Amino acid sequence: MSARPRTIAVIAPLRHPIREPHAGGLEAMVWDRVRMLRARGHRVLLCAVEGSEFQQDGPPEFRLPAVVWPDERDATDSTYPPGHLERAIPALEAALDFIRRHADTIDLVDNHSLHPQPLTRAGRLGVPMVTTLHTPPLPRLVAAARATEHHGRLFAVSAFTAAEWQAHGVEAQVMPNAIDAGRWRLGPGGHDLVWFGRIVPEKGVHLAVRAARLTGRTLRIAGRIGDVAYFQEHVRPYLGAGVDYLGPLAQPALADLVGGSACALVTPLWQEPFGLVVAEALATGTPVAAFDTGGIGEVAGAARAVRLVPMGDADALAAAAEQLAGDRGRDLRYRLRTRTEALARFSLDHRATELETVFDMAGADAWA
């Protein structure tokens, strides 16, 4: 438990509830952070979409409108239903107004929003703010981060992402994402391949399907369908022919799936800001074959259980997966070493003390 309990307002993105099964890596990271901060004795008020966990003791202003698609076949992760932002942005502004009115009782704002309002108003809230940059430089966020009225500390999830923002005139320190070692446990391995994450074009699951078919191994896919049209065209036709879709899984079941696999395939077709699935797979002992793009190489580091191949090359991915799977797919000593190396870099417990130091520094900056 922390020696200095704080009251922390955590601002989540506007799109998905913070609950299991997680909509994506960003939502999983925020969920883990709230749990970790509360476990260390802090009072955490979560500002997030309706239906999120951890909101029972928070103000009503911190419950933001849910995204509701009139037709789920139109749902994507890149757009919003008509009229949604016209409701969501004023709701977010009302939450920021609440923080300003209660500045004497809130010690810090931990901001993960992908919209500029928190950054734009950071200097006028009367509460220090720490903002994590989870994405490539979005124009509206860049403008807010560079504005003269912005105050607070900025952190990027990887050195790659920090460099991208720096190229747009925004300086950020690096604080990688972390994983809960108690929830991503060592698994026994297996024969099948696994792919998990958001099912959207930029995550490239169709190339994981192609690579798996080249190996002759079954591919098991877990995740939320974030683009229905993409799934229908590029994944559904292959189901039942060595490809199984298990849907979105709550974290314990997902960890069991990943830990019971021979190799995880990671196939981003964009400049991945971090690559949380790499760290999660390694924490279960499962090796990873991945496209080398964005921050993926940083997460892989010097891990012997990771093979990186050129982005988009399904043939090279298949060869890497087969090399990693082999006899090592169930070698417990190899898997334990893989897990130990991953947790040394990405354990949530290790990150907690670092985060609290950052919070102290943010407070000192604000009142200097």
Side-chain angles (χ1 to χ4, degrees), residues 10-91:
V10 173
I11 302 179
L14 291 178
R15 188 176 293 276
H16 301 292
I18 305 302
R19 69 184 184 204
E20 292 192 272
H22 300 305
L26 173 50
E27 290 76 16
M29 176 268 167
V30 173
W31 189 83
D32 270 337
R33 182 169 292 196
V34 172
R35 289 176 49 251
M36 178 268 290
L37 290 171
R38 289 189 169 192
R40 292 176 70 85
H42 302 293
R43 177 177 177 240
V44 181
L45 303 174
L46 176 62
C47 176
V49 169
E50 289 176 335
S52 297
E53 294 186 48
F54 314 118
Q55 291 189 304
Q56 297 87 340
D57 54 354
E61 290 89 343
F62 277 20
R63 294 184 177 90
L64 306 179
V67 174
V68 179
W69 291 90
D71 188 337
E72 283 298 321
R73 292 173 296 181
D74 297 330
T76 75
D77 281 3
S78 57
T79 60
Y80 288 96
H84 176 75
L85 289 180
E86 287 75 9
R87 299 187 300 274
I89 297 301

Coordinates of all heavy atoms in Angstrom, one line a residue, residues 10-91:
V10 N -9.2 9.4 -13.0 CA -8.7 8.8 -14.2 C -9.7 9.0 -15.3 O -10.8 8.7 -15.2 CB -8.5 7.3 -14.0 CG1 -8.1 6.6 -15.3 CG2 -7.4 7.0 -12.9
I11 N -9.2 9.6 -16.4 CA -10.1 9.9 -17.6 C -9.8 8.9 -18.7 O -8.7 8.8 -19.2 CB -9.9 11.3 -18.1 CG1 -10.1 12.3 -17.0 CG2 -10.8 11.6 -19.3 CD1 -9.9 13.8 -17.5
A12 N -10.8 8.0 -19.0 CA -10.6 7.0 -20.0 C -11.1 7.5 -21.4 O -11.7 8.6 -21.5 CB -11.5 5.8 -19.6
P13 N -10.8 6.8 -22.4 CA -11.3 7.2 -23.8 C -12.8 7.1 -23.8 O -13.5 6.5 -23.0 CB -10.7 6.1 -24.7 CG -9.5 5.6 -24.0 CD -9.9 5.7 -22.5
L14 N -13.4 7.8 -24.8 CA -14.9 7.9 -24.9 C -15.6 6.8 -25.6 O -16.8 6.8 -25.7 CB -15.2 9.2 -25.7 CG -14.8 10.6 -25.1 CD1 -15.2 11.7 -26.1 CD2 -15.6 10.8 -23.8
R15 N -14.9 5.8 -26.1 CA -15.5 4.9 -27.0 C -16.1 3.6 -26.4 O -17.2 3.2 -26.6 CB -14.5 4.4 -28.1 CG -15.2 3.6 -29.2 CD -14.2 3.3 -30.3 NE -13.8 4.4 -31.1 CZ -14.5 5.0 -32.1 NH1 -15.6 4.4 -32.5 NH2 -14.0 6.0 -32.7
H16 N -15.3 2.9 -25.5 CA -15.7 1.6 -25.0 C -15.7 1.7 -23.4 O -14.9 2.3 -22.8 CB -14.7 0.5 -25.4 CG -14.7 0.4 -26.9 ND1 -15.8 -0.1 -27.7 CD2 -13.7 0.6 -27.8 CE1 -15.4 -0.1 -28.9 NE2 -14.2 0.3 -29.1
P17 N -16.6 0.9 -22.8 CA -16.5 0.8 -21.3 C -15.2 0.1 -20.9 O -14.6 -0.7 -21.6 CB -17.7 -0.1 -21.0 CG -18.6 -0.1 -22.2 CD -17.7 0.1 -23.4
I18 N -14.8 0.5 -19.7 CA -13.7 -0.1 -19.1 C -14.1 -1.3 -18.2 O -14.5 -1.2 -17.1 CB -12.9 0.9 -18.2 CG1 -12.6 2.2 -19.0 CG2 -11.7 0.3 -17.6 CD1 -11.7 1.9 -20.2
R19 N -14.2 -2.4 -18.8 CA -14.7 -3.7 -18.2 C -14.2 -4.8 -19.0 O -13.7 -4.7 -20.2 CB -16.2 -3.6 -18.1 CG -16.9 -3.8 -19.4 CD -18.4 -3.6 -19.4 NE -19.0 -3.9 -20.7 CZ -20.2 -3.4 -21.0 NH1 -20.9 -2.7 -20.2 NH2 -20.7 -3.6 -22.2
E20 N -14.3 -6.0 -18.4 CA -14.1 -7.3 -19.2 C -15.3 -7.7 -19.9 O -16.4 -7.5 -19.4 CB -13.5 -8.3 -18.3 CG -12.2 -8.0 -17.7 CD -11.6 -9.2 -17.0 OE1 -11.9 -9.4 -15.8 OE2 -10.9 -10.0 -17.7
P21 N -15.1 -8.4 -21.1 CA -13.9 -8.6 -21.8 C -13.5 -7.2 -22.4 O -14.3 -6.4 -22.9 CB -14.2 -9.6 -22.9 CG -15.7 -9.5 -23.1 CD -16.3 -9.1 -21.7
H22 N -12.2 -7.0 -22.3 CA -11.7 -5.6 -22.7 C -11.8 -5.4 -24.2 O -11.6 -6.3 -25.0 CB -10.2 -5.5 -22.4 CG -9.9 -5.7 -20.9 ND1 -10.5 -4.9 -20.0 CD2 -9.1 -6.5 -20.2 CE1 -10.1 -5.2 -18.8 NE2 -9.3 -6.2 -18.9
A23 N -12.2 -4.2 -24.6 CA -12.4 -3.8 -26.0 C -11.1 -3.8 -26.7 O -11.1 -4.0 -27.9 CB -13.1 -2.5 -26.1
G24 N -10.0 -3.5 -26.0 CA -8.7 -3.5 -26.7 C -7.6 -3.2 -25.6 O -7.9 -3.2 -24.4
G25 N -6.4 -3.1 -26.1 CA -5.3 -2.9 -25.2 C -5.4 -1.7 -24.4 O -5.0 -1.7 -23.2
L26 N -5.8 -0.6 -24.9 CA -5.9 0.7 -24.2 C -6.9 0.5 -23.0 O -6.6 0.9 -21.9 CB -6.4 1.8 -25.1 CG -6.7 3.2 -24.5 CD1 -5.6 3.6 -23.6 CD2 -7.0 4.2 -25.6
E27 N -8.1 -0.1 -23.3 CA -9.0 -0.3 -22.2 C -8.5 -1.2 -21.1 O -8.7 -1.0 -19.9 CB -10.3 -0.8 -22.8 CG -11.1 0.2 -23.6 CD -10.5 0.4 -25.0 OE1 -9.7 -0.4 -25.5 OE2 -10.9 1.4 -25.6
A28 N -7.8 -2.3 -21.6 CA -7.2 -3.2 -20.6 C -6.2 -2.5 -19.7 O -6.1 -2.7 -18.5 CB -6.5 -4.4 -21.3
M29 N -5.4 -1.6 -20.3 CA -4.4 -0.9 -19.6 C -5.0 0.0 -18.5 O -4.5 0.1 -17.4 CB -3.5 -0.1 -20.6 CG -2.4 0.8 -19.9 SD -3.1 2.5 -19.7 CE -1.8 3.1 -18.6
V30 N -6.1 0.8 -18.9 CA -6.7 1.7 -18.0 C -7.4 0.9 -16.8 O -7.3 1.2 -15.7 CB -7.8 2.5 -18.7 CG1 -8.6 3.3 -17.7 CG2 -7.1 3.5 -19.7
W31 N -8.0 -0.3 -17.2 CA -8.6 -1.1 -16.2 C -7.6 -1.6 -15.2 O -7.8 -1.6 -13.9 CB -9.2 -2.3 -16.9 CG -10.1 -3.2 -16.1 CD1 -11.4 -3.1 -15.8 CD2 -9.7 -4.5 -15.6 NE1 -11.9 -4.1 -15.1 CE2 -10.9 -5.1 -14.9 CE3 -8.6 -5.3 -15.6 CZ2 -10.9 -6.3 -14.3 CZ3 -8.5 -6.5 -14.9 CH2 -9.7 -7.0 -14.3
D32 N -6.4 -2.1 -15.7 CA -5.3 -2.5 -14.8 C -4.8 -1.4 -13.9 O -4.5 -1.6 -12.7 CB -4.2 -3.1 -15.6 CG -4.3 -4.6 -15.8 OD1 -5.0 -5.3 -15.1 OD2 -3.7 -5.1 -16.8
R33 N -4.7 -0.2 -14.5 CA -4.2 0.9 -13.7 C -5.1 1.3 -12.6 O -4.7 1.5 -11.4 CB -3.9 2.1 -14.6 CG -3.3 3.3 -13.8 CD -2.8 4.4 -14.6 NE -1.7 4.0 -15.4 CZ -0.8 4.9 -16.0 NH1 -1.1 6.2 -15.9 NH2 0.2 4.5 -16.7
V34 N -6.4 1.3 -12.8 CA -7.4 1.7 -11.8 C -7.3 0.6 -10.7 O -7.2 1.0 -9.5 CB -8.8 1.8 -12.3 CG1 -9.8 1.9 -11.2 CG2 -8.9 2.9 -13.3
R35 N -7.3 -0.6 -11.0 CA -7.2 -1.7 -10.0 C -5.9 -1.6 -9.2 O -5.9 -1.7 -8.0 CB -7.2 -3.1 -10.7 CG -8.5 -3.5 -11.3 CD -8.4 -4.8 -12.0 NE -7.7 -5.8 -11.2 CZ -6.5 -6.3 -11.5 NH1 -5.8 -5.8 -12.5 NH2 -5.9 -7.2 -10.7
M36 N -4.8 -1.3 -9.9 CA -3.5 -1.2 -9.2 C -3.5 0.0 -8.2 O -3.0 -0.1 -7.1 CB -2.4 -1.1 -10.2 CG -1.0 -0.9 -9.6 SD -0.5 0.8 -9.5 CE -0.3 1.3 -11.2
L37 N -4.0 1.1 -8.7 CA -3.9 2.3 -7.8 C -4.8 2.1 -6.6 O -4.5 2.5 -5.5 CB -4.4 3.5 -8.6 CG -3.4 4.0 -9.7 CD1 -4.1 5.1 -10.5 CD2 -2.1 4.6 -9.0
R38 N -6.0 1.5 -6.8 CA -6.9 1.2 -5.6 C -6.2 0.2 -4.7 O -6.3 0.4 -3.5 CB -8.2 0.7 -6.1 CG -9.1 1.8 -6.8 CD -10.5 1.4 -7.1 NE -11.3 2.5 -7.5 CZ -12.6 2.4 -7.6 NH1 -13.3 1.3 -7.3 NH2 -13.3 3.5 -7.9
A39 N -5.6 -0.8 -5.2 CA -4.9 -1.8 -4.3 C -3.8 -1.1 -3.5 O -3.5 -1.6 -2.4 CB -4.4 -2.9 -5.2
R40 N -3.2 -0.1 -4.0 CA -2.2 0.6 -3.3 C -2.7 1.7 -2.4 O -1.9 2.5 -1.9 CB -1.1 1.1 -4.3 CG -0.4 0.0 -5.0 CD 0.5 0.5 -6.0 NE 1.7 1.2 -5.5 CZ 2.8 0.6 -5.1 NH1 2.9 -0.7 -5.2 NH2 3.8 1.3 -4.6
G41 N -4.0 1.8 -2.2 CA -4.6 2.6 -1.2 C -5.1 4.0 -1.7 O -5.5 4.8 -0.9
H42 N -5.0 4.2 -3.0 CA -5.5 5.5 -3.5 C -7.0 5.4 -3.8 O -7.6 4.4 -4.1 CB -4.8 5.8 -4.8 CG -3.3 5.8 -4.7 ND1 -2.7 6.8 -4.0 CD2 -2.3 5.0 -5.2 CE1 -1.4 6.6 -4.0 NE2 -1.1 5.5 -4.7
R43 N -7.6 6.6 -3.7 CA -9.0 6.7 -4.1 C -9.1 7.1 -5.5 O -8.5 8.2 -5.9 CB -9.7 7.8 -3.2 CG -11.2 8.1 -3.6 CD -11.8 9.1 -2.6 NE -13.1 9.5 -3.0 CZ -13.5 10.7 -3.3 NH1 -12.6 11.7 -3.3 NH2 -14.8 11.0 -3.7
V44 N -9.7 6.3 -6.3 CA -9.7 6.5 -7.8 C -11.1 6.8 -8.3 O -12.0 5.9 -8.0 CB -9.1 5.3 -8.5 CG1 -9.1 5.6 -10.0 CG2 -7.6 5.1 -8.1
L45 N -11.3 7.9 -8.9 CA -12.6 8.2 -9.6 C -12.4 8.0 -11.1 O -11.6 8.7 -11.7 CB -13.0 9.7 -9.2 CG -13.0 10.0 -7.7 CD1 -13.3 11.5 -7.6 CD2 -14.1 9.2 -7.0
L46 N -13.1 7.1 -11.6 CA -13.0 6.8 -13.1 C -14.0 7.5 -13.9 O -15.3 7.3 -13.7 CB -13.1 5.3 -13.3 CG -13.1 4.8 -14.7 CD1 -11.7 5.2 -15.4 CD2 -13.4 3.3 -14.9
C47 N -13.6 8.3 -14.8 CA -14.4 9.0 -15.8 C -14.4 8.2 -17.1 O -13.4 8.1 -17.7 CB -13.9 10.4 -16.0 SG -14.8 11.3 -17.3
A48 N -15.5 7.5 -17.4 CA -15.5 6.6 -18.5 C -16.9 6.4 -19.0 O -17.9 6.9 -18.4 CB -14.9 5.2 -18.1
V49 N -17.0 5.6 -20.1 CA -18.3 5.3 -20.7 C -19.2 4.6 -19.7 O -18.7 3.7 -18.9 CB -18.1 4.6 -22.0 CG1 -19.4 4.0 -22.5 CG2 -17.4 5.4 -23.0
E50 N -20.5 4.8 -19.8 CA -21.4 4.1 -19.0 C -21.2 2.6 -19.2 O -21.0 2.1 -20.3 CB -22.9 4.4 -19.4 CG -23.3 5.8 -19.0 CD -24.7 6.2 -19.5 OE1 -25.1 5.6 -20.5 OE2 -25.3 7.0 -18.9
G51 N -21.4 1.8 -18.1 CA -21.2 0.4 -18.1 C -19.8 0.0 -17.7 O -19.5 -1.2 -17.7
S52 N -19.0 0.9 -17.4 CA -17.6 0.6 -16.9 C -17.7 0.1 -15.5 O -18.6 0.5 -14.7 CB -16.7 1.9 -17.0 OG -16.5 2.3 -18.3
E53 N -16.7 -0.6 -15.1 CA -16.5 -1.0 -13.7 C -15.9 0.2 -13.0 O -15.5 1.2 -13.5 CB -15.5 -2.2 -13.6 CG -16.0 -3.5 -14.2 CD -15.1 -4.7 -13.9 OE1 -14.7 -4.8 -12.7 OE2 -14.8 -5.4 -14.8
F54 N -15.9 0.1 -11.6 CA -15.2 1.0 -10.7 C -16.0 2.4 -10.7 O -15.4 3.3 -10.1 CB -13.8 1.3 -11.2 CG -13.0 0.1 -11.5 CD1 -12.5 0.0 -12.8 CD2 -12.7 -0.9 -10.6 CE1 -11.7 -1.2 -13.2 CE2 -12.0 -2.0 -10.9 CZ -11.5 -2.1 -12.2
Q55 N -17.2 2.5 -11.1 CA -17.9 3.8 -11.1 C -18.9 3.9 -10.0 O -19.6 5.0 -9.9 CB -18.5 4.0 -12.5 CG -17.5 4.3 -13.6 CD -18.2 4.7 -14.9 OE1 -19.1 4.1 -15.4 NE2 -17.8 5.9 -15.4
Q56 N -19.1 2.9 -9.2 CA -20.2 2.9 -8.2 C -20.0 4.1 -7.2 O -21.0 4.6 -6.8 CB -20.2 1.6 -7.5 CG -20.5 0.4 -8.3 CD -19.3 -0.3 -8.9 OE1 -18.2 0.4 -9.0 NE2 -19.4 -1.5 -9.3
D57 N -18.8 4.4 -6.9 CA -18.6 5.4 -5.9 C -18.2 6.8 -6.5 O -17.7 7.6 -5.8 CB -17.6 5.0 -4.8 CG -16.3 4.5 -5.4 OD1 -16.2 4.4 -6.7 OD2 -15.3 4.2 -4.7
G58 N -18.3 6.9 -7.8 CA -17.9 8.1 -8.5 C -19.1 9.0 -8.7 O -20.3 8.6 -8.6
P59 N -18.8 10.3 -9.1 CA -19.9 11.2 -9.3 C -20.7 10.9 -10.6 O -20.1 10.3 -11.6 CB -19.2 12.6 -9.5 CG -17.8 12.2 -9.9 CD -17.5 10.9 -9.3
P60 N -21.9 11.2 -10.8 CA -22.7 11.0 -12.0 C -22.0 11.7 -13.2 O -22.2 11.2 -14.3 CB -24.1 11.5 -11.7 CG -23.9 12.4 -10.5 CD -22.8 11.9 -9.7
E61 N -21.3 12.8 -13.0 CA -20.7 13.5 -14.1 C -19.6 12.7 -14.8 O -19.2 13.0 -15.9 CB -20.1 14.8 -13.6 CG -21.1 15.9 -13.2 CD -21.5 15.8 -11.7 OE1 -21.2 14.7 -11.1 OE2 -22.0 16.7 -11.2
F62 N -19.1 11.6 -14.1 CA -18.1 10.8 -14.6 C -18.6 9.6 -15.4 O -17.8 8.8 -15.9 CB -17.2 10.3 -13.5 CG -16.1 11.3 -13.1 CD1 -16.3 12.7 -13.3 CD2 -15.0 10.9 -12.4 CE1 -15.3 13.6 -13.0 CE2 -14.0 11.8 -12.0 CZ -14.2 13.2 -12.3
R63 N -19.9 9.5 -15.6 CA -20.5 8.5 -16.4 C -20.8 9.1 -17.8 O -21.8 9.8 -17.9 CB -21.7 7.9 -15.8 CG -21.4 7.1 -14.5 CD -22.7 6.5 -13.9 NE -22.4 5.7 -12.7 CZ -22.4 6.2 -11.5 NH1 -22.8 7.4 -11.3 NH2 -22.1 5.4 -10.5
L64 N -20.0 8.7 -18.8 CA -20.2 9.3 -20.1 C -21.1 8.5 -21.0 O -21.3 7.3 -20.8 CB -18.8 9.4 -20.8 CG -17.7 10.2 -19.9 CD1 -16.4 10.2 -20.7 CD2 -18.2 11.6 -19.6
P65 N -21.7 9.1 -22.0 CA -22.7 8.3 -22.9 C -22.1 7.1 -23.6 O -20.9 7.2 -24.1 CB -23.2 9.4 -23.9 CG -22.8 10.7 -23.3 CD -21.6 10.5 -22.4
A66 N -22.8 6.1 -23.6 CA -22.4 4.9 -24.3 C -22.5 5.0 -25.8 O -23.4 5.8 -26.3 CB -23.2 3.6 -23.8
V67 N -21.6 4.4 -26.5 CA -21.7 4.4 -28.0 C -22.8 3.3 -28.4 O -22.6 2.1 -28.1 CB -20.4 4.0 -28.6 CG1 -20.5 3.9 -30.1 CG2 -19.3 5.1 -28.3
V68 N -23.8 3.8 -29.1 CA -24.9 2.9 -29.5 C -25.0 3.0 -31.0 O -25.4 4.1 -31.6 CB -26.2 3.2 -28.8 CG1 -27.3 2.3 -29.3 CG2 -26.1 3.1 -27.3
W69 N -24.8 1.9 -31.8 CA -24.9 1.9 -33.2 C -26.4 1.5 -33.6 O -26.8 0.5 -33.1 CB -24.0 0.9 -33.9 CG -22.5 1.4 -33.8 CD1 -21.7 1.1 -32.7 CD2 -21.9 2.2 -34.7 NE1 -20.5 1.7 -33.0 CE2 -20.5 2.4 -34.2 CE3 -22.2 2.8 -35.9 CZ2 -19.6 3.2 -34.9 CZ3 -21.3 3.6 -36.6 CH2 -20.0 3.8 -36.1
P70 N -27.1 2.3 -34.4 CA -28.4 1.9 -34.8 C -28.4 0.5 -35.5 O -29.3 -0.3 -35.3 CB -28.8 3.0 -35.8 CG -28.0 4.2 -35.4 CD -26.7 3.6 -34.9
D71 N -27.4 0.2 -36.3 CA -27.2 -1.0 -36.9 C -25.8 -1.5 -36.6 O -24.8 -0.9 -37.1 CB -27.4 -0.9 -38.4 CG -27.4 -2.3 -39.1 OD1 -26.9 -3.2 -38.6 OD2 -28.0 -2.3 -40.2
E72 N -25.6 -2.6 -35.9 CA -24.3 -3.1 -35.5 C -23.4 -3.4 -36.7 O -22.2 -3.5 -36.5 CB -24.4 -4.3 -34.5 CG -24.8 -3.9 -33.1 CD -23.8 -3.0 -32.4 OE1 -22.6 -3.3 -32.6 OE2 -24.2 -2.1 -31.7
R73 N -24.0 -3.7 -37.8 CA -23.2 -4.0 -39.0 C -22.4 -2.8 -39.4 O -21.5 -2.9 -40.2 CB -24.1 -4.5 -40.1 CG -24.8 -5.9 -39.8 CD -25.8 -6.2 -40.9 NE -26.9 -5.3 -40.9 CZ -27.9 -5.4 -41.7 NH1 -28.0 -6.4 -42.6 NH2 -28.9 -4.5 -41.7
D74 N -22.8 -1.6 -39.0 CA -22.1 -0.4 -39.4 C -21.0 0.0 -38.4 O -20.2 0.9 -38.6 CB -23.0 0.8 -39.4 CG -24.1 0.6 -40.5 OD1 -23.8 -0.1 -41.5 OD2 -25.2 1.1 -40.4
A75 N -20.8 -0.8 -37.3 CA -19.9 -0.5 -36.2 C -18.5 -0.5 -36.7 O -18.1 -1.5 -37.3 CB -20.1 -1.4 -35.0
T76 N -17.7 0.5 -36.3 CA -16.3 0.5 -36.6 C -15.6 1.2 -35.4 O -16.2 1.8 -34.5 CB -15.9 1.3 -37.8 OG1 -16.0 2.7 -37.6 CG2 -16.8 0.9 -39.0
D77 N -14.3 1.0 -35.3 CA -13.5 1.6 -34.3 C -12.9 3.0 -34.7 O -12.2 3.6 -34.0 CB -12.3 0.7 -33.9 CG -12.7 -0.4 -32.9 OD1 -13.9 -0.4 -32.6 OD2 -11.9 -1.1 -32.5
S78 N -13.2 3.4 -35.9 CA -12.7 4.6 -36.5 C -13.7 5.7 -36.7 O -13.3 6.9 -37.0 CB -12.0 4.3 -37.9 OG -13.0 3.8 -38.8
T79 N -15.0 5.4 -36.4 CA -16.0 6.5 -36.5 C -17.0 6.3 -35.3 O -16.9 5.4 -34.6 CB -16.8 6.3 -37.8 OG1 -17.4 5.0 -37.9 CG2 -15.9 6.5 -39.1
Y80 N -17.9 7.3 -35.2 CA -18.9 7.2 -34.2 C -20.3 7.2 -34.8 O -20.5 7.7 -35.9 CB -18.8 8.4 -33.2 CG -17.6 8.3 -32.3 CD1 -16.4 9.0 -32.7 CD2 -17.6 7.7 -31.1 CE1 -15.3 9.0 -31.8 CE2 -16.5 7.6 -30.3 CZ -15.4 8.3 -30.6 OH -14.3 8.2 -29.8
P81 N -21.3 6.7 -34.1 CA -22.7 6.8 -34.7 C -23.1 8.3 -34.8 O -22.6 9.1 -34.1 CB -23.5 6.1 -33.6 CG -22.5 5.3 -32.8 CD -21.2 6.0 -32.8
P82 N -24.0 8.6 -35.7 CA -24.4 10.0 -35.9 C -24.9 10.5 -34.5 O -25.7 9.9 -33.8 CB -25.6 9.8 -36.9 CG -25.3 8.6 -37.6 CD -24.6 7.6 -36.7
G83 N -24.5 11.7 -34.2 CA -24.9 12.4 -33.0 C -24.2 12.0 -31.7 O -24.4 12.7 -30.7
H84 N -23.3 11.0 -31.7 CA -22.7 10.6 -30.5 C -21.8 11.6 -29.9 O -21.9 12.0 -28.7 CB -21.9 9.3 -30.7 CG -21.2 8.9 -29.4 ND1 -21.9 8.3 -28.3 CD2 -19.9 9.0 -29.0 CE1 -21.0 8.1 -27.4 NE2 -19.8 8.5 -27.8
L85 N -20.9 12.2 -30.7 CA -20.0 13.2 -30.1 C -20.7 14.4 -29.7 O -20.2 15.1 -28.7 CB -18.9 13.5 -31.2 CG -17.9 12.4 -31.5 CD1 -16.9 12.9 -32.5 CD2 -17.2 12.0 -30.2
E86 N -21.9 14.7 -30.3 CA -22.6 15.9 -29.8 C -23.1 15.7 -28.4 O -23.4 16.6 -27.7 CB -23.8 16.2 -30.7 CG -23.4 16.8 -32.1 CD -22.8 15.8 -33.0 OE1 -22.8 14.5 -32.7 OE2 -22.2 16.2 -34.1
R87 N -23.2 14.4 -27.9 CA -23.6 14.1 -26.5 C -22.3 13.9 -25.7 O -22.3 14.3 -24.5 CB -24.5 12.9 -26.5 CG -25.8 13.0 -27.2 CD -26.7 11.8 -27.0 NE -26.0 10.5 -27.4 CZ -26.1 10.1 -28.7 NH1 -26.8 10.8 -29.6 NH2 -25.5 8.9 -29.0
A88 N -21.3 13.2 -26.3 CA -20.2 12.8 -25.5 C -19.3 14.0 -25.1 O -18.8 14.0 -23.9 CB -19.4 11.7 -26.2
I89 N -19.0 14.9 -26.0 CA -18.1 16.0 -25.7 C -18.6 16.9 -24.6 O -17.9 17.2 -23.7 CB -17.8 16.8 -27.0 CG1 -17.0 15.9 -28.0 CG2 -16.9 18.0 -26.6 CD1 -15.7 15.3 -27.5
P90 N -19.9 17.3 -24.7 CA -20.4 18.1 -23.5 C -20.4 17.3 -22.2 O -20.1 17.9 -21.1 CB -21.8 18.4 -23.9 CG -21.8 18.4 -25.4 CD -20.9 17.3 -25.8
A91 N -20.6 16.0 -22.3 CA -20.5 15.2 -21.0 C -19.1 15.2 -20.5 O -18.9 15.3 -19.3 CB -21.0 13.8 -21.3

